Short mmCIF file of all heavy atoms in Angstrom, two decimals:
data_model
loop_
_atom_site.label_atom_id
_atom_site.label_comp_id
_atom_site.label_asym_id
_atom_site.label_seq_id
_atom_site.Cartn_x
_atom_site.Cartn_y
_atom_site.Cartn_z
N LEU A 29 -87.77 -144.83 -113.52
CA LEU A 29 -87.21 -145.36 -112.28
C LEU A 29 -86.39 -144.29 -111.57
O LEU A 29 -86.51 -144.10 -110.34
CB LEU A 29 -86.35 -146.58 -112.57
CG LEU A 29 -85.59 -147.19 -111.39
CD1 LEU A 29 -86.54 -147.64 -110.29
CD2 LEU A 29 -84.73 -148.37 -111.85
N ALA A 30 -85.60 -143.55 -112.32
CA ALA A 30 -84.76 -142.50 -111.72
C ALA A 30 -85.61 -141.41 -111.10
O ALA A 30 -85.32 -140.92 -109.99
CB ALA A 30 -83.83 -141.91 -112.79
N ALA A 31 -86.68 -140.99 -111.77
CA ALA A 31 -87.52 -139.91 -111.26
C ALA A 31 -88.19 -140.30 -109.95
O ALA A 31 -88.21 -139.52 -108.98
CB ALA A 31 -88.56 -139.52 -112.31
N VAL A 32 -88.76 -141.51 -109.90
CA VAL A 32 -89.45 -141.95 -108.68
C VAL A 32 -88.43 -142.19 -107.56
O VAL A 32 -88.68 -141.84 -106.40
CB VAL A 32 -90.27 -143.22 -108.97
CG1 VAL A 32 -90.82 -143.81 -107.66
CG2 VAL A 32 -91.42 -142.90 -109.91
N ALA A 33 -87.28 -142.77 -107.90
CA ALA A 33 -86.25 -143.00 -106.88
C ALA A 33 -85.78 -141.68 -106.28
O ALA A 33 -85.63 -141.56 -105.06
CB ALA A 33 -85.08 -143.76 -107.49
N ALA A 34 -85.57 -140.66 -107.12
CA ALA A 34 -85.13 -139.36 -106.61
C ALA A 34 -86.17 -138.75 -105.70
O ALA A 34 -85.84 -138.17 -104.65
CB ALA A 34 -84.84 -138.43 -107.79
N GLU A 35 -87.44 -138.89 -106.07
CA GLU A 35 -88.52 -138.37 -105.22
C GLU A 35 -88.49 -139.02 -103.84
O GLU A 35 -88.61 -138.34 -102.80
CB GLU A 35 -89.87 -138.64 -105.88
CG GLU A 35 -91.07 -138.24 -105.06
CD GLU A 35 -92.38 -138.74 -105.65
OE1 GLU A 35 -92.47 -138.90 -106.88
OE2 GLU A 35 -93.32 -138.99 -104.85
N LEU A 36 -88.30 -140.34 -103.81
CA LEU A 36 -88.29 -141.05 -102.53
C LEU A 36 -87.02 -140.79 -101.74
O LEU A 36 -87.06 -140.72 -100.51
CB LEU A 36 -88.47 -142.56 -102.77
CG LEU A 36 -89.83 -142.99 -103.31
CD1 LEU A 36 -89.86 -144.48 -103.60
CD2 LEU A 36 -90.95 -142.63 -102.34
N LEU A 37 -85.91 -140.63 -102.43
CA LEU A 37 -84.66 -140.31 -101.73
C LEU A 37 -84.76 -138.96 -101.03
O LEU A 37 -84.17 -138.77 -99.95
CB LEU A 37 -83.48 -140.32 -102.70
CG LEU A 37 -83.07 -141.69 -103.24
CD1 LEU A 37 -81.99 -141.53 -104.31
CD2 LEU A 37 -82.58 -142.61 -102.12
N ASP A 38 -85.51 -138.05 -101.63
CA ASP A 38 -85.67 -136.72 -101.04
C ASP A 38 -86.77 -136.67 -99.97
O ASP A 38 -86.95 -135.63 -99.33
CB ASP A 38 -86.02 -135.70 -102.13
CG ASP A 38 -84.85 -135.44 -103.06
OD1 ASP A 38 -83.71 -135.80 -102.71
OD2 ASP A 38 -85.08 -134.89 -104.16
N ASP A 39 -87.48 -137.77 -99.79
CA ASP A 39 -88.63 -137.78 -98.87
C ASP A 39 -88.55 -139.00 -97.95
O ASP A 39 -89.25 -140.00 -98.17
CB ASP A 39 -89.93 -137.80 -99.69
CG ASP A 39 -91.17 -137.57 -98.83
OD1 ASP A 39 -91.07 -137.64 -97.59
OD2 ASP A 39 -92.24 -137.32 -99.42
N PRO A 40 -87.71 -138.96 -96.93
CA PRO A 40 -87.57 -140.12 -96.05
C PRO A 40 -88.87 -140.50 -95.34
O PRO A 40 -89.08 -141.67 -95.03
CB PRO A 40 -86.49 -139.69 -95.06
CG PRO A 40 -86.40 -138.20 -95.17
CD PRO A 40 -86.81 -137.86 -96.56
N ASP A 41 -89.75 -139.53 -95.10
CA ASP A 41 -91.02 -139.87 -94.46
C ASP A 41 -91.87 -140.76 -95.36
O ASP A 41 -92.51 -141.70 -94.89
CB ASP A 41 -91.80 -138.59 -94.12
CG ASP A 41 -91.16 -137.81 -92.98
OD1 ASP A 41 -90.35 -138.41 -92.23
OD2 ASP A 41 -91.45 -136.61 -92.84
N GLN A 42 -91.88 -140.44 -96.66
CA GLN A 42 -92.63 -141.28 -97.59
C GLN A 42 -92.02 -142.67 -97.67
O GLN A 42 -92.74 -143.68 -97.70
CB GLN A 42 -92.68 -140.64 -98.99
CG GLN A 42 -93.53 -141.45 -99.96
CD GLN A 42 -93.59 -140.87 -101.35
OE1 GLN A 42 -94.25 -141.43 -102.24
NE2 GLN A 42 -92.90 -139.77 -101.60
N ARG A 43 -90.70 -142.75 -97.70
CA ARG A 43 -90.04 -144.06 -97.71
C ARG A 43 -90.43 -144.88 -96.49
O ARG A 43 -90.76 -146.06 -96.59
CB ARG A 43 -88.51 -143.92 -97.73
CG ARG A 43 -87.94 -143.35 -98.99
CD ARG A 43 -86.47 -143.75 -99.16
NE ARG A 43 -85.63 -143.51 -97.99
CZ ARG A 43 -84.97 -142.38 -97.75
NH1 ARG A 43 -85.11 -141.35 -98.57
NH2 ARG A 43 -84.20 -142.26 -96.69
N GLU A 44 -90.41 -144.24 -95.34
CA GLU A 44 -90.76 -144.95 -94.11
C GLU A 44 -92.21 -145.40 -94.13
O GLU A 44 -92.53 -146.52 -93.74
CB GLU A 44 -90.50 -144.03 -92.92
CG GLU A 44 -90.78 -144.66 -91.56
CD GLU A 44 -89.80 -145.77 -91.21
OE1 GLU A 44 -88.68 -145.77 -91.75
OE2 GLU A 44 -90.18 -146.63 -90.40
N ARG A 45 -93.10 -144.52 -94.61
CA ARG A 45 -94.53 -144.86 -94.65
C ARG A 45 -94.78 -146.03 -95.60
O ARG A 45 -95.50 -146.97 -95.24
CB ARG A 45 -95.34 -143.64 -95.11
CG ARG A 45 -96.82 -143.94 -95.33
CD ARG A 45 -97.58 -142.70 -95.77
NE ARG A 45 -97.14 -142.19 -97.06
CZ ARG A 45 -97.51 -142.71 -98.24
NH1 ARG A 45 -98.31 -143.78 -98.27
NH2 ARG A 45 -97.09 -142.17 -99.36
N LEU A 46 -94.19 -145.99 -96.79
CA LEU A 46 -94.39 -147.07 -97.76
C LEU A 46 -93.82 -148.38 -97.24
O LEU A 46 -94.44 -149.45 -97.37
CB LEU A 46 -93.75 -146.71 -99.09
CG LEU A 46 -94.38 -145.56 -99.87
CD1 LEU A 46 -93.56 -145.24 -101.11
CD2 LEU A 46 -95.82 -145.87 -100.26
N GLY A 47 -92.63 -148.32 -96.63
CA GLY A 47 -92.02 -149.54 -96.13
C GLY A 47 -92.82 -150.17 -95.00
O GLY A 47 -93.01 -151.39 -94.96
N ALA A 48 -93.31 -149.34 -94.08
CA ALA A 48 -94.11 -149.87 -92.96
C ALA A 48 -95.42 -150.46 -93.46
O ALA A 48 -95.86 -151.53 -93.01
CB ALA A 48 -94.37 -148.76 -91.96
N ALA A 49 -96.06 -149.79 -94.43
CA ALA A 49 -97.32 -150.30 -94.98
C ALA A 49 -97.09 -151.60 -95.74
O ALA A 49 -97.90 -152.54 -95.64
CB ALA A 49 -97.94 -149.25 -95.89
N ALA A 50 -95.99 -151.67 -96.49
CA ALA A 50 -95.68 -152.90 -97.23
C ALA A 50 -95.45 -154.06 -96.28
O ALA A 50 -95.93 -155.18 -96.52
CB ALA A 50 -94.44 -152.67 -98.10
N ARG A 51 -94.73 -153.81 -95.21
CA ARG A 51 -94.43 -154.87 -94.26
C ARG A 51 -95.72 -155.47 -93.67
O ARG A 51 -95.89 -156.69 -93.64
CB ARG A 51 -93.54 -154.34 -93.14
CG ARG A 51 -93.02 -155.39 -92.18
CD ARG A 51 -92.07 -154.78 -91.14
NE ARG A 51 -91.39 -155.82 -90.39
CZ ARG A 51 -91.92 -156.45 -89.35
NH1 ARG A 51 -93.13 -156.14 -88.92
NH2 ARG A 51 -91.21 -157.39 -88.73
N ALA A 52 -96.62 -154.60 -93.25
CA ALA A 52 -97.87 -155.09 -92.65
C ALA A 52 -98.74 -155.79 -93.69
O ALA A 52 -99.31 -156.86 -93.44
CB ALA A 52 -98.63 -153.92 -92.03
N ASP A 53 -98.85 -155.20 -94.87
CA ASP A 53 -99.74 -155.73 -95.91
C ASP A 53 -99.25 -157.07 -96.43
O ASP A 53 -100.02 -158.04 -96.52
CB ASP A 53 -99.82 -154.71 -97.05
CG ASP A 53 -100.68 -155.21 -98.21
OD1 ASP A 53 -101.89 -155.39 -97.99
OD2 ASP A 53 -100.14 -155.43 -99.31
N VAL A 54 -97.98 -157.17 -96.78
CA VAL A 54 -97.45 -158.39 -97.37
C VAL A 54 -97.43 -159.53 -96.37
O VAL A 54 -97.75 -160.68 -96.70
CB VAL A 54 -96.05 -158.12 -97.96
CG1 VAL A 54 -95.30 -159.41 -98.23
CG2 VAL A 54 -96.18 -157.31 -99.25
N ARG A 55 -97.07 -159.23 -95.12
CA ARG A 55 -97.06 -160.30 -94.12
C ARG A 55 -98.46 -160.85 -93.85
O ARG A 55 -98.60 -162.03 -93.49
CB ARG A 55 -96.43 -159.78 -92.82
CG ARG A 55 -94.92 -159.66 -92.91
CD ARG A 55 -94.31 -158.98 -91.68
NE ARG A 55 -92.86 -158.93 -91.78
CZ ARG A 55 -92.03 -159.81 -91.23
NH1 ARG A 55 -92.50 -160.80 -90.51
NH2 ARG A 55 -90.73 -159.69 -91.39
N ALA A 56 -99.49 -160.04 -94.06
CA ALA A 56 -100.85 -160.53 -93.89
C ALA A 56 -101.34 -161.29 -95.12
O ALA A 56 -101.87 -162.41 -95.01
CB ALA A 56 -101.79 -159.36 -93.60
N ARG A 57 -101.15 -160.71 -96.30
CA ARG A 57 -101.72 -161.31 -97.51
C ARG A 57 -100.93 -162.51 -98.03
O ARG A 57 -101.48 -163.35 -98.75
CB ARG A 57 -101.84 -160.26 -98.61
CG ARG A 57 -102.89 -159.21 -98.36
CD ARG A 57 -103.19 -158.39 -99.61
NE ARG A 57 -102.04 -157.66 -100.10
CZ ARG A 57 -101.52 -157.81 -101.31
NH1 ARG A 57 -102.05 -158.68 -102.17
NH2 ARG A 57 -100.47 -157.09 -101.69
N PHE A 58 -99.65 -162.58 -97.71
CA PHE A 58 -98.80 -163.65 -98.22
C PHE A 58 -98.28 -164.54 -97.09
O PHE A 58 -97.17 -165.08 -97.18
CB PHE A 58 -97.64 -163.05 -99.01
CG PHE A 58 -98.05 -162.32 -100.26
CD1 PHE A 58 -98.41 -160.98 -100.19
CD2 PHE A 58 -98.12 -162.97 -101.48
CE1 PHE A 58 -98.80 -160.29 -101.33
CE2 PHE A 58 -98.51 -162.29 -102.62
CZ PHE A 58 -98.85 -160.95 -102.55
#
C-alpha cells in the first residue's frame, strides 16, 4: 500500500487520470 501510494503521490497526472476514469466507469456500471 505504501509503495503504490507513494507512486501516486508523486504523479498527480496519474491520480487525475485514474480518478476521472473511475468516476465515468462506476457511474455507468453501478
